[in-house]
Amino acid sequence: MPSLPSSMQAVVAREPGNASVLALADRPVPEPGAGEVLLRVLGAGVNRPDIMQRQGISKPAPSVTDVLGLEVCGEVVSCGPGVDGALAGRRLMSLVPGGGYAPWCVAAVDHSFAVPERLSDAEAAALPEGLFTVWHNLFELGRLRMGDTLLVHGGAGGIGTLAIQMARAAGATVITTASDETRFEELKALGADATICWRTTDFVQACLERTEGRGVDVVLDVVGGDYVHRNLQAMAFGGRHVSLSFMQGSAVQIEMLQLMQKQLSLHSSTMRPQSRSEKARMAQGIARHVIPLVQSGRIGPRIHHTFALKDAAASHEMLESGQVFGKLVLIPEAANP
């Protein structure tokens, strides 16, 4: 195959700040290490952790590139030591520790999945981060199981739309909140049994009414702040509360007596700091239980909009607007050497 260039134009944050600090910068084309492949990036998902990195709230590990991007779909162009060379030319969708907003990106093979033929490049790029996040938080930490009732906050987001589908496929009843009632019909088509407009309806009362006073078994929360206290009020005995983000603040007040009397448990995680081996373990579960559902079309991403790589700042502005229904994806120009 033709030789690769030594450098590329990739998206970095020049300094902490708003979306305007994102810019293309020269970075070396990475080389795959043991157990890794080099991908020609066909699409890169845009996620809230990218915004947190841009703002300086979270930072990549010292050994990780400053190029943004935590999930990609790409074509394998070279293989590192210990990787089967037969992967060359194949499409993979991969969770990466950074580097996705670029024409080329390194990915661990054991954090990657073969892209089902039915998925476009953009659709495949929109899946890995959500698959890992929902699988680990909803099914491993939240222990969601058939017959449970789940409350998903932010059901129209990238994580929310995927969580609804995965929970429904697992046999759970799904209640979701959203801000725009025009989205309710499609959210129900994705698998939501009930939809709540949080602007006009008390979700606690609505959940209790929906469950005949029992409450929900699992809450998947991205809001934080005073929502946590309200979530606990909406939960059933033995319920599990899982926090993914905290758009209304990370400091919360909790009534311990309520936790003890209802035997509630609180869980949370972030994906980026997880060890390589832990992510590989999660990937095995996803490959076994979730990827077949993606292949069959029962689970898939909803793409709201795609952007050229050079327009990464516009993608961040759109995500921060709160108007996104599903996922945003960056598409690099053809990364031909």
Side-chain angles (χ1 to χ4, degrees), residues 1 32 34 94 99 101 108 118 122 184 198 203 218-219 225 230 240 324:
M1 63 180 298
S94 307
Y101 290 15
R118 60 179 303 275
F184 284 5
W198 58 263
F203 74 81
V218 182
V219 175
R230 296 170 67 193
R240 289 83 69 195
V324 175

Side-chain angles (χ1 to χ4, degrees), residues 193-258:
D193 295 277
T195 50
I196 301 168
C197 179
W198 58 263
R199 295 182 187 276
T200 59
T201 304
D202 179 352
F203 74 81
V204 175
Q205 186 61 33
C207 287
L208 292 174
E209 290 176 358
R210 175 74 189 188
T211 59
E212 299 181 342
R214 178 178 175 275
V216 301
D217 300 289
V218 182
V219 175
L220 199 62
D221 182 55
V222 296
V223 183
D226 68 354
Y227 259 52
V228 176
H229 171 68
R230 296 170 67 193
N231 290 338
L232 300 182
Q233 293 178 322
M235 293 174 67
F237 183 87
R240 289 83 69 195
H241 185 285
V242 185
S243 297
L244 298 183
S245 188
F246 40 84
M247 289 186 288
Q248 287 190 3
S250 59
V252 300
Q253 284 192 325
I254 295 173
E255 175 53 60
M256 291 300 298
L257 182 60
Q258 183 182 43

Side-chain angles (χ1 to χ4, degrees), residues 19 24 41 43 58 87 89 98 111 155 158 178 191-192 211 223 227 265 301 312 320-321:
L24 290 171
V41 177
S58 66
L87 283 178
H111 301 167
T211 59
V223 183
Y227 259 52
S265 58
E320 290 178 291
S321 75

